[in-house]
Amino acid sequence: MKVEKKFALIKENIESACKRANRKPEDVTVVAVTKYVSTERAIEAFNAGIEHFGENREEGLTSKWEILEGRPIWHFIGTLQSRKVKNIIDKVTYIHSLDRLSLAKEIQRRAKTRIKCFVQVNVSGEDTKHGINPDEVIPFIRQLDSYTNIQIVGLMTMAPNTSDEDALRNCFRSLKEIQEEVKKINLDYAPCNELSMGMSNDYMIAIEEGATFVRIGTALVGE
Ligand SMILES: *Cc1c(COP(=O)(O)O)cnc(C)c1O
């Protein structure tokens, strides 16, 4: 199916989810995750009007960034090795996977502009998942006060790999609660107004629970 058609369907779903949650569709940004697809498919997505793109590897980001001449807004969404920061930092506006101080240090050192970062939180507590434990989010963010090249725009999580709707909802709800706690401490470098949560299988639930960025791969650009 053409990306244009899939995008239209997803926009309809977003509208319904927003209606159920009494939210505005404009407050939800779709990030097209192009990690599994060809550069041609990414171009098709760009031509279909998608403005935000996400990649989880340096190679995928660099090749698509070059072809699209940096026109879309790029998000780095995957585990980020510190040694790769220098290769991606000039290409991305957002990093969704800030999960340790050593990575923050490298971003601070290499960035030429202020990077919008999400702190990745391991809400579900699964060992296989990256991210900071919920209890450590505020202490971690407090440590970033001298990191002038980092703005904490929000929190990100990967939900458990399950179709259990309650488990997914609980995960998203917990991230929202942690966000409220961060907002309460009112740090100028951590407005934390955004929530990056929801992928192909669970983005509607995530939106009902407050997602402002949904990261959609398969359902949007999958071939
Ligand atoms: C791959 C990936 C996605 C998109 O996954 P889909 O299930 O294909 O929508 C979202 N977020 C992250 C961090 C990913 O690695």
Side-chain angles (χ1 to χ4, degrees):
M1 202 193 289
K2 287 218 162 85
V3 176
E4 195 175 5
K5 184 120 183 255
K6 291 183 168 218
F7 190 33
L9 291 172
I10 286 172
K11 281 194 282 196
E12 275 175 31
N13 288 337
I14 290 175
E15 248 171 66
S16 329
C18 282
K19 207 167 273 170
R20 290 193 290 277
N22 207 3
R23 299 186 55 203
K24 292 190 277 224
E26 309 87 89
D27 295 339
V28 179
T29 300
V30 174
V31 180
V33 176
T34 48
K35 66 185 187 195
Y36 328 94
V37 303
S38 63
T39 310
E40 290 70 35
R41 191 71 164 166
I43 294 169
E44 187 193 332
F46 184 71
N47 291 335
I50 300 172
E51 293 167 357
H52 291 257
F53 283 68
E55 279 283 336
N56 68 340
R57 302 182 68 99
E58 179 200 336
E59 298 73 23
L61 174 74
T62 306
S63 57
K64 294 189 179 82
W65 191 93
E66 279 166 7
I67 296 285
L68 286 163
E69 297 167 346
R71 282 172 298 175
I73 296 164
W74 285 96
H75 298 245
F76 197 91
I77 59 167
T79 309
L80 181 53
Q81 291 168 285
S82 296
R83 64 187 172 84
K84 301 228 159 164
V85 167
K86 61 177 181 304
N87 304 333
I88 62 122
I89 199 75
D90 295 340
K91 301 187 169 70
V92 299
T93 304
Y94 292 88
I95 293 176
H96 289 238
S97 44
L98 179 56
D99 62 354
R100 57 194 193 278
L101 206 56
S102 57
L103 178 58
K105 280 190 182 143
E106 188 62 10
I107 294 170
Q108 173 64 22
R109 192 154 86 95
R110 301 286 184 178
K112 296 189 192 79
T113 58
R114 204 169 189 202
I115 307 291
K116 297 177 193 292
C117 294
F118 290 84
V119 172
Q120 183 168 352
V121 186
N122 185 358
V123 176
S124 61
E126 288 172 277
D127 290 342
T128 53
K129 292 254 189 311
H130 288 266
I132 293 189
N133 290 333
D135 293 350
E136 288 156 16
V137 171
I138 288 185
F140 176 71
I141 292 176
R142 284 195 187 280
Q143 285 179 296
L144 300 174
D145 69 337
S146 60
Y147 289 64
T148 48
N149 286 335
I150 293 180
Q151 183 182 34
I152 302 301
V153 295
L155 304 180
M156 177 274 209
T157 199
M158 305 267 288
N161 189 5
T162 174
S163 53
D164 178 350
E165 199 182 306
D166 288 337
L168 293 167
R169 210 174 275 289
N170 284 334
C171 171
F172 298 139
R173 213 166 268 178
S174 301
L175 194 68
K176 173 90 192 171
E177 282 166 13
I178 302 165
Q179 179 202 28
E180 296 298 338
E181 296 299 313
V182 177
K183 283 169 73 161
K184 254 188 237 157
I185 62 174
N186 209 12
L187 301 169
D188 57 351
Y189 61 91
C192 206
N193 289 317
E194 313 296 346
L195 284 175
S196 168
M197 56 189 196
M199 320 200 311
S200 289
N201 292 326
D202 54 22
Y203 68 92
M204 285 183 269
I205 303 172
I207 290 169
E208 288 169 17
E209 299 302 332
T212 60
F213 285 82
V214 288
R215 310 177 309 267
I216 310 182
T218 319
L220 178 55
V221 293
E223 275 152 315

